[in-house]
Amino acid sequence: MRPTHVLASRQRDLRDRGRTTNSEIMRWIILFFLSALPAFAQDLQGNDTAGNWRVTHHEIFGIWNSICDEREENGALKQRCYIRRAEVFSLRPKFAAQFVFITPEPNGFKVEFGMEPGTFFSPSGFRIDKGEETIWRTRRPGCLTGLGCIFEDRRAEDILQAMLTGDAYRFVFRDRHGQSQDLTWPLDTFGTAWADFTAQSQKRNLLPKQD
């Protein structure tokens, strides 16, 4: 069975039993991200796509994936490009994971983090460090508690600039199982991933409009 069909079947089974949770869906989305072959690309929200997205570009730069794909929608070709990082930091039976997507939008870039509900970051535990200095951090309630964590417009620009100049993301938090976590996402290869992503986006006319 194809990965997209496995994900959709699992979600239907959970709904039929009347106990679907955001956390359960999140776990299967992350597993799908990590197990799906390029031929079965997912959409940015992890929705089932029936395998109709065709990957046209996929390069790996350290922990960062630069991906573009396409499909037909109402007789027209739809194309997408994004940078993705997904990490499963705790395996079964206490599964836990988080991810980030970076996408071009009409008027800027969007940076979206996904954490499981029940995740609690320390006040300075969601940050980018350069040497001994913290050059970016967020204390937005949704980001620190595993709820919505999306940055757009100037906020996204600030993060991306920090990612291009910083050494690493640092995530210090307690996961939904109550386990303490301290993750480091190196940024040494992000600049190369960003250059590839923006070049591929430009080829497809996907970069934000310039003022």
Side-chain angles (χ1 to χ4, degrees), residues 70-79:
E70 64 185 23
R71 72 176 179 185
E72 294 287 331
E73 289 188 1
N74 300 319
L77 181 67
K78 179 177 178 61
Q79 298 179 303

Side-chain angles (χ1 to χ4, degrees), residues 27-44:
R27 291 199 297 276
W28 280 93
I29 287 173
I30 291 291
L31 285 174
F32 174 57
F33 286 159
L34 297 179
S35 64
L37 297 175
F40 311 120
Q42 70 288 337
D43 71 10
L44 297 182

Side-chain angles (χ1 to χ4, degrees), residues 170-208:
R170 288 296 309 282
F171 302 103
V172 182
F173 59 95
R174 188 177 74 246
D175 67 25
R176 68 186 185 87
H177 303 289
Q179 301 295 312
S180 295
Q181 304 290 344
D182 189 340
L183 307 183
T184 299
W185 288 4
L187 290 166
D188 55 321
T189 58
F190 180 76
T192 311
W194 177 258
D196 181 83
F197 159 71
T198 52
Q200 294 297 324
S201 296
Q202 184 174 35
K203 285 176 59 175
R204 295 161 175 78
N205 197 30
L206 297 175
L207 287 179

Side-chain angles (χ1 to χ4, degrees), residues 37-161:
L37 297 175
F40 311 120
Q42 70 288 337
D43 71 10
L44 297 182
Q45 289 73 42
N47 297 319
D48 178 31
T49 63
N52 59 351
W53 285 101
R54 184 175 68 89
V55 171
T56 57
H57 178 79
H58 186 190
E59 294 290 340
I60 301 173
F61 304 92
I63 66 171
W64 306 98
N65 288 258
S66 172
I67 304 172
C68 298
D69 52 26
E70 64 185 23
R71 72 176 179 185
E72 294 287 331
E73 289 188 1
N74 300 319
L77 181 67
K78 179 177 178 61
Q79 298 179 303
R80 309 176 306 181
C81 290
Y82 47 94
I83 290 179
R84 183 188 75 194
R85 161 64 172 162
E87 180 178 0
V88 174
F89 54 83
S90 180
L91 300 176
R92 295 178 180 176
K94 292 187 175 182
F95 183 93
Q98 69 179 32
F99 65 82
V100 64
F101 281 112
I102 301 169
T103 57
E105 303 295 327
N107 298 309
F109 291 95
K110 180 168 71 173
V111 182
E112 179 175 2
F113 294 89
M115 293 84 66
E116 298 191 40
T119 301
F120 290 97
F121 285 81
S122 65
S124 296
F126 199 131
R127 68 184 193 267
I128 295 174
D129 288 346
K130 182 177 178 63
E132 299 298 317
E133 179 186 2
T134 295
I135 61 172
W136 178 89
R137 67 160 57 90
T138 184
R139 290 178 176 169
R140 293 172 63 185
C143 297
L144 299 184
T145 56
L147 300 176
C149 189
I150 297 175
F151 298 87
E152 298 177 285
D153 304 320
R154 181 53 187 270
R155 286 179 170 178
E157 292 178 17
D158 290 344
I159 297 174
L160 293 170
Q161 183 60 36

